[in-house]
Amino acid sequence: VYEPFIRGAAGLGKSPSKPDPDTNASRYAFCDALVVGGGPAGLAAAYAVAKSGAKVILVDEQAEFGGALLSEPDVIINAKTSWDWLEQTRAELGRMENVTLLPRTTAIGYYHQNFLGLCQRLTDHLSHPAADAPRERMWRVRAKQVVLAQGSIEKPLVFAGNDRPGVMLAGSARTYLNRYGVRVGNRAVVVTSHDAAWLAAFDLAVVGASVPVIVDTRKTVSDSLINRAKMLGIEPLTGWTVSETSGRHRVSAIRLHPVNGDGTVGAARNISCDAVLMSGGWTPSVHLFSHTNGKLVWDEERQIYLPGEPTEKCRVAGAGNGKFDLQSALDEGAKYGAAAANDAGFVAKPDDYPHDYVVVGDFVCSGTSCRELPTDRDTGKAKAFIDFQNDVTAKDIRLAVREGFKSIEHIKRYTTTGMATDQGKTSNINGLAVASDALSRSTPQVGLTTFRPPYTPTTFGAFAGYNRGALFHVTRKTPIDPWAEAEGAIFEPVSLWRRAHYFPKNGETMHQAVSRECVATRQSLGMFDASTLGKIEIVGPDAAEFMNRFYTNAWTKLAPGRCRYGLLLGEDGFIRDDGVIGRLSSDRFHVTTTTGGAASVLNMMEDYLQTEWPDLRVALTSTTEQWAVVALNGPNARKLIEPMVEGFDLSDEAFPHMSVAETRVLGVPARLFRVSFTGELGYEINVPARYGLALWKALYAAGKPYDITPYGTETMHVLRAEKGYIIVGQDTDGTVTPDDASLGWAIGKTKPDFVGKRSLARPDMLKTDRKHLVGLMTQDPNIVLEEGGQIVADPTQPVPMKMLGHVTSSYWSEALGRSIALALVAGGKTMKGDVVHIPMPDGSAHAATITGMVFYDPDGNRLNG
């Protein structure tokens, strides 16, 4: 009842369900130095790097480079006004061919080996962008050196009513005035603990705004500030505090007090105003530095965290490193820019770039850090906000401490302070200060929350870039794919591959096309594109030993030229993958895997070879895309290829079932397997991928006298199901053992060990009520069961029914003239002949009899044609 209203009040909405109308781009880039931040320190650093000849990228999230200088028109830098110096520096950088300037670009993350993500906003600022123009571009940049010049973030002050409209940071008011020509109020009161806010008061007074008072919590402030304030008609109140603000729709008054020596406050004084400008000093922006796992160092005097020893090839310059005055920021930027260029292999000559800046008119700002401002109000009731996005107040943090939360990580989660979209950029230090006071501990003892990418909220579209729609993931196509497309094949996605599902002719339905393909393969000859099967070359003196340890069955005695079915388990004893494996020589195996398991099997092999068996002399190479594979099945398969295989005897005696040979087919080097996934006489011809399409066309043309028929994955599924051959991932679900799938014969009984052997001996693996793979034949032969359908013993039992298992594969068999199915059924091996039921959503139930898994040619006579 309440949640929708609470979410609505909090501003939380629903995620969109429609496709993103925007397009986004992405780009990779490399540079000698990447400078993050286009303020004075960043500009000085980029200029020093650029003059060395190094390739430099300068990024800043604002539309203009300049940072704090954009709000400082009166400072003199090297005998030029700050804006003139800024314009000249930007122009010179823009003319250099080795410089890439990226405004409106946020460095969102700093990753290992100097890899940074940059999000560039391309068209948000345009009123009428081109229809095909991308909205954002994600840059992925690898830099030899990095200079972080992100500047600093102004801290709010904590007092009751500090979130009322019209209360804002002093630096914001100064930016509105000097950069955009907007005066934030006609009668502004400044509240501060830092010199910087005095400059905002002076700027407003100069343009005619009334600034009745400057309230500074410090007892002592420099005479130059006091005197200038008085000259402008501003009353300086040092050693004063604010207890609250008032106003209905925006601030209209502020309540002030002098602070006594014991920390109590004196009589209140109310001053009317339409703006309150506050400043608690500046917090260095150390977020990107923290992304690299760089440790921060606490500066007790200034109550700020500073970057410590870097873990990457980076330097932090300017206000981000605690250099808040302009001259120090410029000098440090130039110094670190030159050092970055030198470390990148270039020579930054001091005569080529300014390195000892002369700044006139800049204030050397200093200040202190505050917790809540002293007040005469009840702090347990005052709404003194710390996190303005999540509405966390000082009293919330003190309550968290009273509730027993000692760590700032726990306090953060209890109060949600610092968990908003700004990740505590304005709230963290104030929150730490209040928590440390409540805990009577120093700030470093309380701890610091972790900064994580992205630096600011970033759209999903920017991360996705071009990877949407058809490009969401790469669709891999076999060399034979163009022929299948030209023949009108209907395709389906299988793992990352596009595979021909079936080949309809003359308006056939899928059922009609698959039935025709099945009949043609059983009666004469079918051809199938098996190129997507995973293929791994295992080579080395210890190749056989590796295979022996990895797969369940024995391999050391397998003769070269012979094949064997290989079954792979996980450490848990459950089936992971399978495939036919041929031994080409004493030290070389050609391993096939399922289409979807190719990458995971290779990864698993590499893992064991590198961590468990590093002593084995074995090399593993993925050859999935090196070989194109054409599978020929049917009674006429030998007749078709016998003339094409050069100088090779394909008779049963010379080349029996489960054999492999390296030969030539139509003059092309090939690996010829005599294997079958259909139960018919079968061959798989592996040729280099560049010959795959030509081989397919030649076989198809030569096979026309045999009515050769291309078939797709659906027909392959039907043919293999008729023979009871499993598909890992369809007939197994991650909990099936070899014995569950009637594959106990594939386990080497005398082998001392293999991956998963120990788990097979667990008592749970030996229970008789485990789910076993069995066959199902519906009592109504015309009903094709739904794959995934649940199986019960009695369909009339009350709901919820006890499920015995589920249907894993179900097809219409043209060869049998009826439907067939495979299923996982609890205790299925002991239930042959029993009738089970498959309930349907409409309330009906289909009856089926449990059978063996082999429905067609149980003696295997057709394997020899």
Side-chain angles (χ1 to χ4, degrees):
V1 174
Y2 299 108
E3 184 177 352
F5 298 100
I6 295 173
R7 285 185 173 273
L12 303 177
K14 296 180 179 179
S15 61
S17 58
K18 296 181 180 179
D20 186 355
D22 298 313
T23 59
N24 296 278
S26 61
R27 182 173 295 176
Y28 288 87
F30 301 86
C31 62
D32 299 306
L34 173 67
V35 180
V36 180
L43 288 168
Y47 192 82
V49 176
K51 294 298 285 186
S52 73
K55 183 178 180 181
V56 59
I57 298 176
L58 174 64
V59 304
D60 192 276
E61 63 183 350
Q62 299 297 321
E64 297 179 78
F65 292 104
L69 290 182
L70 296 172
S71 304
E72 289 276 6
D74 300 326
V75 177
I76 305 299
I77 303 174
N78 290 350
K80 297 182 180 68
T81 66
S82 57
W83 285 2
D84 287 343
W85 177 88
L86 182 58
E87 185 61 33
Q88 177 184 330
T89 303
R90 291 188 301 201
E92 287 191 45
L93 288 171
R95 288 192 295 267
M96 297 182 185
E97 294 183 355
N98 59 324
V99 177
T100 300
L101 300 177
L102 296 178
R104 295 189 177 90
T105 303
T106 304
I108 61 170
Y110 193 161
Y111 307 93
H112 65 287
Q113 296 179 346
N114 271 19
F115 184 80
L116 286 90
L118 316 175
C119 184
Q120 181 182 19
R121 298 174 300 282
L122 298 171
T123 57
D124 280 349
H125 61 291
L126 301 178
S127 57
H128 300 288
D132 57 348
R135 179 185 177 188
E136 295 177 306
R137 175 183 290 127
M138 182 68 74
W139 292 73
R140 295 168 174 85
V141 180
R142 184 82 66 182
K144 291 182 181 179
Q145 299 289 323
V146 173
V147 178
L148 299 177
Q150 294 176 271
S152 55
I153 300 169
E154 195 168 19
K155 285 186 298 183
L157 289 172
V158 183
F159 55 89
N162 62 345
D163 72 327
R164 197 178 303 276
V167 181
M168 66 180 65
L169 292 170
S172 298
R174 200 160 183 237
T175 297
Y176 274 119
L177 180 64
N178 294 331
R179 187 173 178 188
Y180 301 111
V182 175
R183 194 170 64 189
V184 298
N186 295 316
R187 184 175 172 84
V189 172
V190 174
V191 184
T192 185
S193 62
H194 197 273
D195 292 352
W198 290 67
L199 305 182
F202 298 159
D203 289 350
L204 283 170
V206 167
V207 298
S210 171
V211 184
V213 296
I214 296 178
V215 180
D216 199 314
T217 61
R218 298 171 295 175
K219 293 287 187 181
T220 304
V221 179
S222 69
D223 291 339
S224 62
L225 293 176
I226 295 289
N227 294 334
R228 188 171 179 187
K230 291 179 178 179
M231 285 176 54
L232 294 170
I234 304 172
E235 180 183 4
L237 298 176
T238 57
W240 281 61
T241 186
V242 175
S243 59
E244 65 181 354
T245 63
S246 58
R248 179 171 174 79
H249 296 296
R250 63 170 294 160
V251 65
S252 61
I254 187 168
R255 191 164 179 265
L256 314 175
H257 305 262
V259 180
N260 301 319
D262 59 358
T264 60
V265 299
R269 175 179 172 184
N270 292 296
I271 294 181
S272 63
C273 60
D274 61 2
V276 174
L277 314 183
M278 60 179 171
S279 177
W282 299 86
T283 301
S285 185
V286 294
H287 301 70
L288 290 182
F289 181 84
S290 295
H291 291 178
T292 67
N293 202 29
K295 301 302 180 184
L296 301 178
V297 179
W298 177 248
D299 185 328
E300 181 65 32
E301 181 180 354
R302 294 189 287 175
Q303 297 285 290
I304 57 176
Y305 274 104
L306 295 173
E309 192 69 25
T311 60
E312 297 284 344
K313 295 177 180 178
C314 76
R315 297 167 173 83
V316 186
N321 197 33
K323 304 298 190 298
F324 298 123
D325 64 288
L326 183 54
Q327 180 156 342
S328 297
L330 287 166
D331 288 343
E332 189 169 65
K335 173 185 174 183
Y336 286 165
N342 292 331
D343 287 352
F346 296 81
V347 178
K349 300 177 182 178
D351 293 339
D352 291 343
Y353 63 91
H355 52 280
D356 292 319
Y357 285 87
V358 178
V359 177
V360 179
D362 182 41
F363 278 86
V364 179
C365 293
S366 61
T368 61
S369 180
C370 300
R371 296 176 174 87
E372 306 109 304
L373 297 188
T375 181
D376 63 345
R377 300 300 195 191
D378 182 357
T379 56
K381 296 180 179 179
K383 291 186 177 181
F385 286 89
I386 286 178
D387 189 316
F388 293 89
Q389 284 188 297
N390 279 351
D391 290 345
V392 179
T393 63
K395 67 178 181 180
D396 296 330
I397 292 180
R398 295 189 182 278
L399 174 62
V401 172
R402 291 199 302 273
E403 292 284 352
F405 296 97
K406 309 297 183 183
S407 166
I408 193 62
E409 295 284 1
H410 295 157
I411 293 171
K412 171 182 176 178
R413 282 151 181 82
Y414 181 81
T415 64
T416 72
T417 184
M419 294 178 67
T421 56
D422 75 334
Q423 289 194 63
K425 290 181 176 65
T426 59
S427 62
N428 268 1
I429 296 299
N430 285 335
L432 282 172
V434 173
S436 66
D437 183 61
L439 289 166
S440 299
R441 295 179 182 175
S442 66
T443 300
Q445 289 179 315
V446 177
L448 181 67
T449 55
T450 302
F451 300 117
R452 296 182 176 90
Y455 175 72
T456 53
T458 307
T459 65
F460 287 115
F463 284 106
Y466 297 116
N467 300 318
R468 57 181 294 175
L471 298 177
F472 181 68
H473 62 73
V474 177
T475 299
R476 301 165 75 180
K477 299 179 182 179
T478 73
I480 301 161
D481 183 273
W483 187 93
E485 185 172 24
E487 291 294 313
I490 304 300
F491 293 93
E492 70 165 343
V494 179
S495 185
L496 296 179
W497 293 90
R498 183 174 91 150
R499 302 190 72 178
H501 195 194
Y502 58 97
F503 292 84
K505 292 188 180 299
N506 302 321
E508 288 178 327
T509 65
M510 174 177 163
H511 174 73
Q512 292 169 335
V514 171
S515 295
R516 173 180 53 79
E517 292 170 9
C518 288
V519 170
T521 303
R522 291 280 186 222
Q523 292 183 355
S524 181
L525 184 59
M527 65 189 306
F528 176 67
D529 182 5
S531 304
T532 65
L533 289 177
K535 294 172 278 291
I536 303 170
E537 197 91 349
I538 299 182
V539 183
D542 297 321
E545 177 61 22
F546 176 83
M547 294 292 297
N548 223 35
R549 298 182 188 182
F550 202 70
Y551 283 90
T552 61
N553 31 10
W555 298 92
T556 52
K557 294 183 179 180
L558 182 68
R562 296 293 292 166
C563 302
R564 181 165 288 167
Y565 174 77
L567 188 63
L568 175 62
L569 309 183
E571 286 285 7
D572 51 13
F574 299 131
I575 296 173
R576 288 281 181 87
D577 202 82
D578 68 347
V580 173
I581 299 168
R583 188 170 193 176
L584 301 174
S585 63
S586 61
D587 62 351
R588 183 180 298 267
F589 288 84
H590 179 118
V591 175
T592 64
T593 72
T594 59
T595 295
S600 61
V601 171
L602 180 61
N603 287 342
M604 185 175 172
M605 285 181 173
E606 288 283 9
D607 183 33
Y608 275 87
L609 186 59
Q610 294 180 32
T611 63
E612 303 295 328
W613 312 317
D615 56 306
L616 296 184
R617 296 164 296 170
V618 176
L620 308 174
T621 306
S622 172
T623 59
T624 298
E625 295 188 4
Q626 178 180 341
W627 298 101
V629 183
V630 180
L632 295 170
N633 290 274
N636 292 313
R638 183 187 291 115
K639 295 177 183 178
L640 174 64
I641 68 169
E642 205 161 25
M644 301 179 179
V645 182
E646 300 176 5
F648 196 81
D649 186 357
L650 290 183
S651 65
D652 285 337
E653 295 75 18
F655 197 62
H657 181 61
M658 296 301 280
S659 296
V660 61
E662 293 188 283
T663 182
R664 299 182 76 86
V665 177
L666 294 175
V668 175
R671 289 180 178 175
L672 181 63
F673 288 75
R674 182 173 170 189
V675 293
S676 175
F677 199 47
T678 65
E680 302 294 331
L681 172 65
Y683 299 91
E684 289 184 5
I685 308 171
N686 293 247
V687 295
R690 62 186 179 275
Y691 300 119
L693 182 56
L695 174 67
W696 178 276
K697 290 180 177 179
L699 291 170
Y700 184 70
K704 287 184 177 179
Y706 306 106
D707 192 24
I708 190 168
T709 301
Y711 64 89
T713 53
E714 186 66 18
T715 294
M716 177 267 290
H717 282 201
V718 176
L719 297 175
R720 64 88 196 175
E722 290 174 344
K723 289 293 297 179
Y725 299 151
I726 72 167
I727 292 182
V728 174
Q730 177 168 331
D731 299 306
T732 65
D733 61 359
T735 65
V736 175
T737 69
D739 188 62
D740 296 339
S742 297
L743 294 174
W745 55 266
I747 296 178
K749 302 299 188 295
T750 60
K751 288 177 62 173
D753 199 11
F754 55 82
V755 174
K757 177 179 174 65
R758 180 174 52 185
S759 294
L760 294 179
R762 292 182 0 230
D764 188 62
M765 299 294 212
L766 307 176
K767 295 169 64 176
T768 58
D769 62 347
R770 290 185 56 81
K771 289 183 179 180
H772 301 143
L773 196 60
V774 297
L776 286 182
M777 298 187 76
T778 54
Q779 291 187 349
D780 182 346
N782 295 311
I783 292 177
V784 179
L785 298 173
E786 291 188 20
E787 292 182 350
Q790 297 296 303
I791 299 172
V792 300
D794 179 7
T796 63
Q797 62 183 288
V799 176
M801 298 182 181
K802 181 180 179 180
M803 301 298 175
L804 301 179
H806 69 279
V807 179
T808 63
S809 299
S810 180
Y811 310 99
W812 173 262
S813 170
E814 197 68 27
L816 299 172
R818 60 159 299 122
S819 67
I820 58 172
L822 298 176
L824 283 170
V825 178
K829 289 183 178 181
T830 63
M831 296 174 62
K832 287 185 179 179
D834 291 357
V835 176
V836 292
H837 302 270
I838 298 88
M840 292 289 100
D842 62 1
S844 64
H846 302 316
T849 303
I850 294 179
T851 68
M853 293 169 57
V854 182
F855 301 98
Y856 181 78
D857 187 29
D859 297 327
N861 295 323
R862 299 183 65 88
L863 278 175
N864 294 318

